[in-house]
């Protein structure tokens, strides 16, 4: 019991620090090493170097280029006037009353197209900020709106989504990303309806109070003066290009390089081997973003020139902060997952009798503790997948259902205050947990309820 309390205390400390606005880059290692100190004082230094820093640096190695290119892409979209052009066209076509659904749909299209969640935040924020400002909707609702569009149904509920949360279960259950399509669609509708209802209710309450967009805000997208806005079709072309090329490169990169690539240069003492199954998605989105950046520069050069140097510096600073925040969270999760308290908690969760409820509660709990949907799901399935498969055969439940429940449960309580994606989203939008986390948490609750809703639907109807 003491080991469990130590792990939970570390989690609470980090969540409190994040909510109060302290740097997660500083407090993630403090919380993690504090837990190790209380468990085994002699293990602090080895755990810090061999586990926390190893995982943190590994995350930066893989994902920093994605953060960097995503930030540059988003900044160029601001400077070129593309965001203003698209927003003006949207308002002209549908009016200001549908601002929130428009942003949700835009996030969903990019996420379902395979664009990284972090890149979606960088790319959509300039559009969302301008649209919310012109519609007089509080900026504090932007993070929750983006979370609904990018971190919920398109991340793990919609059948076929290429996000990692929908891919991980395939290796454990022998399923495909299209597993349990009807349950996925029903869960998606549940999330969309309740999510939009909540956000629209918040918008109406703010309108009654005459709250407006807000003043003295941080990290506001630039509003270029005296520029000629491009045609909306031209302005939206880079976004479509990124989504389309991401799919194209995902298909062709394994064909170009094979399942494994061997790099041998004259200065290397031994060849460097790259497993393409683990890196294809990252290479694909990086290549797509590079193409998108080039297209924005070509089409919007007249508006960008003269401000490219300063804009790129700001983008790099934002990318470093976002990547380091998330990497610190990744290191924290790895340390907590290695502690005995975490293992005790994992074993206790396996005692839940109903197999689908067992899976849903175990995965969403572990994802919440580690602050990572993919991390919590991987840990839970690595430890319990064989039991889930045996239970599925005994109860005659298709493994596709276990796939969909696992995928959706991973994206439930993972978005607690210490989650890397949440911290990145708030950093990019220039908002604090105190200002905007309430809306994100409401979406988290809706997302968590959706998992149990589809379990109920399956037991009542047998639909898959």
């Amino acid at each position: 019991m003491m080991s469990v309390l130590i792990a939970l205390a570390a989690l609470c400390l980090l969540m409190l620090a994040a909510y109060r606005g302290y740097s997660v880059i500083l407090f993630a290692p403090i919380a993690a090493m504090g837990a190790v100190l209380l468990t085994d004082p002699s293990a602090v230094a080895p755990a810090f170097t061999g586990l926390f820093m190893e995982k943190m640096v590994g995350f930066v190695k893989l994902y920093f280029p994605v953060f960097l290119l995503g930030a540059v892409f988003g900044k160029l979209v601001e400077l070129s006037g593309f965001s203003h052009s698209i927003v003006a066209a949207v308002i002209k076509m549908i009016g200001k009353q549908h601002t929130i659904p428009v942003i949700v749909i835009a996030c969903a299209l990019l996420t379902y197209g395979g664009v990284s969640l972090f890149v979606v935040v960088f790319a959509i924020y300039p559009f969302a900020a301008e649209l919310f400002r012109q519609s007089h909707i509080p900026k504090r609702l932007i993070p929750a709106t983006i979370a609904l569009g990018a971190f919920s149904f398109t991340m793990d509920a919609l059948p076929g989504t290429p996000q990692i949360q929908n891919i991980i279960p395939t290796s454990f259950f022998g399923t495909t990303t299209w597993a349990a399509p009807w349950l996925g669609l029903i869960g998606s509708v549940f999330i969309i309806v309740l999510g939009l209802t909540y956000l629209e209710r918040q918008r109406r309450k703010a309108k009654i109070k005459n709250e407006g967009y807000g003043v003295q805000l941080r990290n506001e997208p630039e509003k270029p003066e005296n520029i000629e806005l491009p045609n909306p079709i031209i302005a939206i072309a880079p976004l479509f290009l990124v989504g389309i090329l991401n799919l194209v490169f995902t298909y062709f990169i394994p064909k170009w390089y094979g399942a494994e690539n061997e790099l041998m240069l004259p200065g290397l003492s031994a060849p460097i081997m790259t497993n393409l199954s683990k890196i294809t998605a990252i290479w694909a989105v990086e290549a797509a973003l590079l193409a998108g950046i080039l297209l924005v520069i070509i089409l919007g050069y007249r508006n960008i020139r003269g401000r490219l140097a300063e804009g790129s510096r700001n983008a790099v600073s934002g990318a470093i902060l976002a990547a380091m925040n998330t990497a610190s969270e990744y290191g924290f999760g790895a340390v907590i997952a290695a502690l005995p308290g975490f293992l005790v908690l994992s074993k206790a969760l396996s005692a839940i009798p109903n197999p689908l409820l067992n899976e849903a509660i175990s995965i969403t709990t572990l994802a919440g503790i580690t602050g990572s949907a993919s991390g919590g799901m991987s840990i839970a399935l690595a430890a319990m997948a064989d039991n889930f498969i045996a239970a599925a055969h005994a109860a005659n439940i298709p493994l596709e259902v276990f796939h969909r429940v696992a995928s959706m449960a991973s994206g439930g309580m993972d978005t607690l205050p210490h989650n890397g994606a949440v911290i990145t989203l708030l950093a990019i939008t220039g908002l604090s947990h105190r200002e905007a986390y309430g809306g994100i948490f409401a979406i988290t609750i809706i997302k968590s309820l959706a998992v149990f809703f589809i379990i109920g639907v399956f037991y009542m109807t047998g639909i898959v």
Side-chain angles (χ1 to χ4, degrees), residues 163-179:
Q163 298 298 328
I164 188 64
Q165 292 80 4
N166 190 42
I167 295 173
I168 290 174
T170 62
S171 60
F172 290 95
F173 298 123
T175 51
T176 71
T177 57
W178 295 90

Side-chain angles (χ1 to χ4, degrees), residues 324-335:
M324 291 301 294
N325 275 328
T326 309
S328 295
E329 285 291 339
Y330 198 70
F332 170 83
V335 172

Side-chain angles (χ1 to χ4, degrees), residues 2 30 47 81 105 159 168 188 224 305 307 338 345 361 425 437:
M2 182 57 67
I30 289 176
I105 291 171
I168 290 174
S188 298
R305 64 182 179 183
R307 289 180 304 196
L345 189 61
I361 295 172
L425 174 57
Y437 181 71

Side-chain angles (χ1 to χ4, degrees), residues 402-425:
F402 278 86
H403 172 125
R404 189 55 54 206
V405 169
S407 181
M408 291 180 64
S410 73
M413 297 307 293
D414 74 305
T415 45
L416 292 176
H418 65 301
N419 172 264
V422 170
I423 292 172
T424 299
L425 174 57

Side-chain angles (χ1 to χ4, degrees), residues 118-191:
F118 299 106
V119 174
V120 171
V121 177
F122 281 113
I124 290 297
Y125 173 54
F127 302 100
E130 183 64 21
L131 196 52
F132 273 57
R133 182 188 298 110
Q134 293 194 30
S135 303
H136 305 293
I137 300 174
K139 182 183 179 180
R140 62 180 175 81
L141 293 180
I142 291 179
T145 303
I146 293 177
L148 177 60
F151 298 173
S152 61
F153 63 98
T154 50
M155 186 176 83
D156 50 45
L158 274 181
T161 178
Q163 298 298 328
I164 188 64
Q165 292 80 4
N166 190 42
I167 295 173
I168 290 174
T170 62
S171 60
F172 290 95
F173 298 123
T175 51
T176 71
T177 57
W178 295 90
W182 287 111
L183 289 179
L185 288 171
I186 291 169
S188 298
V189 171
F190 180 93
I191 296 166

Side-chain angles (χ1 to χ4, degrees), residues 210-243:
N210 199 28
E211 182 176 343
Y213 181 71
V215 295
Q216 297 181 338
L217 298 167
R218 301 173 296 276
N219 200 28
E220 281 295 281
E222 294 186 37
K223 295 184 287 184
E225 302 293 338
N226 302 320
I227 65 171
E228 182 180 347
L229 293 182
N231 185 290
I233 296 176
I234 293 177
I236 205 170
L239 281 174
F240 279 111
L241 181 70
V242 169

